[in-house]
Amino acid sequence: MRRYLYIVAMMLLAHSARAQIYVLGVAQDGGYPHAGCIKKCCADAWASKDKRRYVTSLAYADSASGKWWLLEATPDIAAQLQYFSELTRGRYKYLPDGIFVTHAHIGHYTGLMQLGREVMNTRDMPVYVMPRMRQYLTDNGPWSQLVRLGNIKLVDIAQVMDSADMAGKKKAAYDLAPGVGVYAFRVPHRDEYSETVGLGVCTREKNYIFIPDIDKWEKWQTDIRNVATAADVVLIDGTFYRDGELPGRSMSEVPHPFVQETIKLFTEGMPYRARGKVHFIHFNHTNPLLWDTAEQQKVMKAGFRLAEQGEKL
């Protein structure tokens, strides 16, 4: 009887762990600590490697198919590939089965350079992008060389615009493996070189939403609260905690929803119990949620979560 219960327990555990999101980084494009910063916000991180954080990236691993995909090709991609291998104890192959890129800001695509002949010299690595992002990579060096030499293979992301589809309907997703889908949806952001998207990941067990960058929630035609209610896990833009975080610089130049604004928005329209789905990510080095325990506790007491490097969701 004990052996039977043990086998059943192991089967249930294996099933529940078939699909997981791994957080490979939580910092804004410049990483943490930030280049050129010797102020209090970064001083401890320069002094202690344990406090340093990679640029925001996720890995989606599907043990049923033995495949995994990388969400964002960051400047820290070399360390993050190794980090994923360590987190999963070498269960998956070193290189992902594909890479999804949300937009053309440096923290999200410049890691593609590591796939070139100067480094890993990959062959036909699928890189899932939107049309303007495809054009940008095709027309501009050094990225165009990756395309020309076949280091990467650009694949159009399946896109949905209807918020009903964003609730996790798998028919709207790009099928990667049985029961596995990813789709993109446009969000307003500073689109100098490409459009910007969020990503939805549909698994057998859960539906994830990933929006690392957006200007302001009110600029988006979709109510983020409805999206969060329908999903199981939501990782959203937490770049800045409050207004005035960049002394001597207008924060309108780099618009993001302040964490304080997002908390107010969700508090007004989402039950406390449901707020635990919301994980803030993509923290700028000035954001106290990276290094201030008191501020971290305030956010968590309000019912929200902070994405942590190395965690499984």
Side-chain angles (χ1 to χ4, degrees):
M1 183 64 176
R2 287 183 179 177
R3 178 175 175 78
Y4 172 76
L5 292 174
Y6 174 79
I7 292 173
V8 171
M10 290 299 101
M11 290 175 65
L12 290 172
L13 181 61
H15 175 76
S16 65
R18 288 199 308 185
Q20 290 181 317
I21 291 282
Y22 292 81
V23 180
L24 302 184
V26 299
Q28 185 262 2
D29 301 32
Y32 181 70
H34 198 273
C37 181
I38 56 174
K39 297 180 180 179
K40 181 180 182 297
C41 55
C42 289
D44 288 346
W46 286 123
S48 174
K49 290 184 178 180
D50 291 340
K51 295 183 178 180
R52 298 178 185 181
R53 295 293 179 266
Y54 298 134
V55 177
T56 293
S57 178
L58 306 177
Y60 169 60
D62 178 59
S63 62
S65 63
K67 296 180 178 181
W68 75 281
W69 297 267
L70 187 65
L71 277 59
E72 307 291 34
T74 82
D76 293 324
I77 192 172
Q80 288 169 323
L81 290 174
Q82 180 65 26
Y83 187 43
F84 174 76
S85 181
E86 293 170 358
L87 288 173
T88 57
R89 300 181 181 180
R91 182 174 183 176
Y92 298 88
K93 59 185 179 181
Y94 189 77
L95 287 173
D97 289 276
I99 301 173
F100 287 82
V101 175
T102 61
H103 65 295
H105 283 162
I106 67 167
H108 303 263
Y109 80 99
T110 56
L112 293 174
M113 69 178 71
Q114 298 289 345
L115 305 180
R117 62 182 178 185
E118 301 91 337
V119 190
M120 288 189 285
N121 196 33
T122 59
R123 180 54 46 194
D124 291 330
M125 170 62 70
V127 176
Y128 298 87
V129 292
M130 292 288 284
R132 280 188 64 203
M133 188 75 213
R134 168 194 275 273
Q135 200 66 43
Y136 177 75
L137 294 173
T138 301
D139 292 348
N140 295 278
W143 325 109
S144 56
Q145 179 171 284
L146 298 173
V147 178
R148 187 173 67 256
L149 297 182
N151 298 125
I152 65 175
K153 178 176 65 176
L154 299 178
V155 183
D156 291 329
I157 298 178
Q159 181 184 192
V160 296
M161 300 302 293
D162 191 319
S163 59
D165 287 330
M166 290 173 58
K169 292 183 179 180
K170 295 181 181 180
K171 67 180 179 62
Y174 189 95
D175 294 327
L176 300 173
V180 179
V182 177
Y183 62 86
F185 48 91
R186 290 286 303 274
V187 296
H189 194 43
R190 293 171 288 114
D191 296 340
E192 299 96 335
Y193 300 114
S194 78
E195 60 277 273
T196 302
V197 298
L199 297 172
V201 181
C202 304
T203 76
R204 299 170 186 84
E205 297 87 15
K206 292 182 179 180
N207 294 313
Y208 301 84
I209 295 292
F210 178 50
I211 308 175
D213 275 288
I214 191 169
D215 282 352
K216 292 290 183 181
W217 297 120
E218 59 266 28
K219 291 184 179 181
W220 194 24
Q221 62 184 4
T222 302
D223 191 329
I224 182 60
R225 293 170 296 187
N226 294 337
V227 175
T229 299
D232 296 294
V233 178
V234 183
L235 296 113
I236 58 175
D237 189 337
T239 306
F240 298 116
Y241 189 57
R242 59 170 70 91
D243 196 5
E245 203 169 298
L246 301 177
R249 184 177 181 183
S250 172
M251 298 190 71
S252 63
E253 297 176 359
V254 283
H256 291 270
F258 303 126
V259 171
Q260 289 183 336
E261 293 176 335
T262 303
I263 288 176
K264 182 180 179 181
L265 178 68
F266 276 106
T267 301
E268 293 174 348
M270 195 173 190
Y272 181 88
R273 186 172 59 181
R275 296 175 208 162
K277 300 178 180 183
V278 179
H279 299 64
F280 289 105
I281 198 168
H282 199 262
F283 306 113
N284 194 57
H285 67 290
T286 57
N287 191 327
L289 296 181
L290 270 174
W291 40 267
D292 189 318
T293 302
E295 296 295 348
Q296 293 169 350
Q297 290 176 346
K298 285 182 184 178
V299 172
M300 290 186 285
K301 284 181 180 178
F304 302 92
R305 296 187 59 182
L306 306 175
E308 296 182 16
Q309 188 166 293
E311 73 173 321
K312 293 181 287 186
L313 299 171

